[in-house]
Amino acid sequence: MEPTATGSNRSLLKVVVALTPVAGSILFPLVVPILMLRVSISAGVIAAVLIGTLWFAAMLRTSEMPGHH
């Protein structure tokens, strides 16, 4: 039995759901301090706001919530 497009999409979604929290928790503490040291404190603050907002939106978008009955 070959995987269908729906099965492939579901598999990809599961990978994205699994990697979203990991990516944000690794990216955030690496990028922000490096920018603060190498560029400026304001660049680090801007990066923190942008990364935090994008990470939050990605977490909401990929969340697996139970259906309402």
Side-chain angles (χ1 to χ4, degrees):
M1 181 176 193
E2 291 185 31
T4 62
T6 304
S8 177
N9 288 342
R10 182 169 289 158
S11 176
L12 178 63
L13 180 61
K14 286 185 179 263
V15 170
V16 170
V17 167
L19 291 179
T20 302
V22 174
S25 62
I26 291 173
L27 185 69
F28 194 87
L30 286 177
V31 171
V32 173
I34 290 171
L35 279 175
M36 285 183 161
L37 287 173
R38 305 259 180 194
V39 180
S40 68
I41 292 175
S42 61
V45 170
I46 291 169
V49 170
L50 290 176
I51 292 171
T53 302
L54 293 173
W55 185 28
F56 182 73
M59 293 288 288
L60 285 177
R61 182 78 174 143
T62 59
S63 65
E64 293 183 339
M65 301 296 289
H68 297 283
H69 297 282

